[in-house]
Amino acid sequence: MAEILANQQKQKAGVCRTKKTTLRVDLTPMVDLGFLLISFFVFTTTLSQSTAMKLAMPDDRKGIDSSVIPEKKTLNLILGIDNTTYVYNGLELNNIKDVGGNATSVRDAIIEKKKELINKYGSDSGMVVLIKPTATSTYENVVNALDEMLICNVKTYVLMDATADELKATRQ
C-alpha cells in the first residue's frame, strides 16, 4: 500500500543530520475499487422505460363521417391566461362561464355535463370534450386538462385551436 523509502547517506564527521524519507502511495487498489463500484451501479440500475399516451384514431372504413359531433353532447374548454378555464356547452357561446383555474372546477364542469347527458339520454356515451388552449395558456394547463379527461373517464376529447369568436368572448 504505502512504502517509506529511506535514503541511505554516509555519515560525515560533524553535525548529525536527520534522515529524509520519501512517501510513495500505491493507488492501484483505489482504482480497482472505483471500477468495481462503477460496474456495480451500471449493472444494477434499470433504464427508464418510455411511456406513450394512447391515441384513438377514427375508423375510415365504416363510411360514417366521424368528424360530425352532436352539439348537445359537446363540452368546450377554453384554456386562458392565468390558469383560467372557460366552459360552454355545444354551440352556446353566449352562455360561456369562467370556472376558474383549479382542477376541481374543471372536473365539476365535466361531471355536471355527464349528469346532464345521463338524465337526457340515459348514458354519457358520445360525450365529446373540445379542449382549446389559447396563446396565453401554458403547457401545464393543457396537461392538467388532459389529466382531467383521464380522471373523469372521458373517452372522446379533441385538442384544437380556439376560434376568433371564442377568443373575443374570453377577451384573450
Side-chain angles (χ1 to χ4, degrees):
M1 295 267 196
E3 236 176 82
I4 299 178
L5 302 173
N7 290 339
Q8 301 290 335
Q9 293 181 351
K10 293 182 181 180
Q11 290 212 359
K12 298 180 183 177
V15 179
C16 181
R17 292 194 176 181
T18 59
K19 295 181 186 176
K20 292 189 179 181
T21 59
T22 59
L23 182 66
R24 182 179 162 269
V25 178
D26 186 13
L27 293 178
T28 305
M30 183 70 97
V31 173
D32 290 344
L33 181 65
F35 279 115
L36 282 173
L37 286 173
I38 290 171
S39 60
F40 171 77
F41 287 117
V42 166
F43 290 132
T44 57
T45 58
T46 59
L47 298 176
S48 63
Q49 301 293 327
S50 60
T51 57
M53 183 179 257
K54 291 182 182 179
L55 180 63
M57 298 296 290
D59 190 8
D60 293 335
R61 295 175 288 161
K62 293 181 182 176
I64 300 171
D65 188 8
S66 61
S67 64
V68 177
I69 302 169
E71 93 178 53
K72 297 292 184 192
K73 293 185 176 185
T74 303
L75 179 68
N76 294 279
L77 297 177
I78 302 171
L79 309 175
I81 193 168
D82 294 331
N83 299 328
T84 56
T85 303
Y86 300 92
V87 176
Y88 70 95
N89 292 321
L91 297 174
E92 302 171 3
L93 187 57
N94 54 354
N95 293 333
I96 194 166
K97 294 186 297 187
D98 181 1
V99 294
N102 56 1
T104 57
S105 59
V106 174
R107 188 176 304 155
D108 292 340
I110 294 170
I111 291 171
E112 181 182 325
K113 181 65 177 180
K114 281 186 158 211
K115 286 180 182 176
E116 177 187 320
L117 290 177
I118 289 172
N119 290 338
K120 190 169 188 175
Y121 298 106
S123 74
D124 62 350
S125 65
M127 178 180 170
V128 178
V129 178
L130 304 177
I131 304 169
K132 302 176 181 183
T134 61
T136 57
S137 65
T138 62
Y139 183 73
E140 180 184 3
N141 298 132
V142 177
V143 171
N144 290 340
L146 293 174
D147 285 343
E148 290 304 318
M149 298 303 115
L150 292 175
I151 291 169
C152 294
N153 198 21
V154 175
K155 294 190 179 21
T156 308
Y157 52 91
V158 179
L159 195 60
M160 59 190 296
D161 292 330
T163 64
D165 292 335
E166 291 168 337
L167 292 175
K168 204 180 294 180
T170 60
R171 295 173 225 91
Q172 296 291 320

